[in-house]
Amino acid sequence: MKIAIFLLAIIGIYIVPGCSNAQSMSSKKILIVYLSRTNNTKAIAEIIQKNVGGKLVALELQKPYPENYQQIVAQVVKENETGFLPPLKTKIDSIENYDVVFVGFPTWDMQMPPPMKSFLHQYNLSGKTVIPFNTNAGYGVGSGFETVKELCPNSKVLKGFSIKGGIERDGVLFVMKGEMEKEAEKEVKKWLREINM
Ligand SMILES: Cc1cc2nc3c(=O)[nH]c(=O)nc-3n(C[C@H](O)[C@H](O)[C@H](O)COP(=O)(O)O)c2cc1C
């Protein structure tokens, strides 16, 4: 009898909190907002959704960027210098209903792209868990994750995920397919486990 009570106590201490944690995570409402020009960040967003569920939303601008790479680079540099926030065409209904918001963006000009800055300025994510992710041409996320923390001062910002994507400058556009996609999925899953998602 004593042994049975002892075992029940152990189960109560170690197993039940684990279960209730898992349950509370799975009952959270998840939003995955991303910006993607050549679909690499979109592919990561889709892998995240496949693994944790939630609603996927792509950010679109009222006035789209130029197709030409040199032109978009010049425009983004100018927007970053002046602090211009391009108006979004995308509207998100009832953002207050979400508990967890993943925010995904490519590195542009070694920063967070202006449209994602527009999103984080426009929508109040206070009290929510915010989880950033990124693709880049091999130079890393730059200041992007720091900017997430600055623009979400009242959110719980978790460790971000960053991976090499395309290199549009060299004509390398969408790369998240075949082996690259499988490798990316492995890394995303490892990161999601690390952050208890
Ligand atoms: C305007 C612009 C600026 C970029 N600047 C950088 C940069 O500073 N560093 C970097 O590593 N990649 C840079 N890139 C490359 C993208 O981050 C990379 O190709 C990314 O995977 C694209 O994501 P997407 O396919 O979701 O659009 C830039 C791309 C564009 C279009």
Side-chain angles (χ1 to χ4, degrees), residues 36-41 106-110 135-137 139 165-166:
S36 192
R37 174 174 159 93
T38 48
N39 293 332
N40 295 290
T41 313
T107 304
W108 282 3
D109 190 22
M110 291 317 288
T135 73
N136 58 77
Y139 299 95

Side-chain angles (χ1 to χ4, degrees), residues 8-195:
L8 280 175
I10 294 287
I11 289 167
I13 291 165
Y14 291 104
I15 300 179
V16 174
C19 289
S20 63
N21 245 350
Q23 270 166 7
S24 63
M25 251 316 159
S26 66
S27 64
K28 299 248 184 236
K29 267 200 91 182
I30 299 175
L31 176 67
I32 305 166
V33 180
Y34 67 92
L35 175 77
S36 192
R37 174 174 159 93
T38 48
N39 293 332
N40 295 290
T41 313
K42 179 182 182 202
I44 301 297
E46 287 171 350
I47 293 173
I48 293 171
Q49 189 202 33
K50 199 171 123 190
N51 283 275
V52 303
K55 185 178 164 65
L56 269 181
V57 175
L59 288 187
E60 285 183 80
L61 292 186
Q62 285 178 17
K63 186 168 177 283
Y65 281 114
E67 288 284 318
N68 178 277
Y69 180 71
Q70 300 306 335
Q71 282 176 12
I72 185 181
V73 168
Q75 186 172 328
V76 165
V77 167
K78 209 158 137 204
E79 289 177 355
N80 284 336
E81 276 168 9
T82 58
F84 178 71
L85 297 174
L88 299 174
K89 184 167 116 186
T90 309
K91 301 257 176 292
I92 296 170
D93 291 335
S94 313
I95 195 136
E96 63 280 0
N97 291 343
Y98 293 96
D99 310 296
V100 177
V101 182
F102 284 85
V103 291
F105 50 88
T107 304
W108 282 3
D109 190 22
M110 291 317 288
Q111 299 187 31
M112 172 186 287
M116 188 52 81
K117 292 181 189 165
S118 298
F119 167 74
L120 293 177
H121 271 100
Q122 189 175 334
Y123 290 92
N124 181 4
L125 305 184
S126 293
K128 302 183 192 305
T129 298
V130 173
I131 312 177
F133 61 99
N134 162 266
T135 73
N136 58 77
Y139 299 95
V141 65
S143 56
F145 290 167
E146 284 310 309
T147 305
V148 173
K149 284 188 198 148
E150 282 161 26
L151 297 181
C152 305
N154 302 311
S155 308
K156 184 177 175 195
V157 180
L158 301 190
K159 184 186 166 196
F161 174 82
S162 184
I163 192 167
K164 187 173 173 192
I167 313 176
E168 190 176 338
R169 187 192 58 194
D170 299 345
V172 182
L173 303 180
F174 180 63
V175 299
M176 290 296 165
K177 53 192 170 190
E179 278 309 307
M180 286 274 270
E181 189 186 20
K182 279 190 202 148
E183 193 50 41
E185 177 150 23
K186 248 196 255 167
E187 289 186 33
V188 168
K189 281 182 166 168
K190 188 171 148 224
W191 163 66
L192 290 172
R193 273 197 303 272
E194 235 180 274
I195 59 170

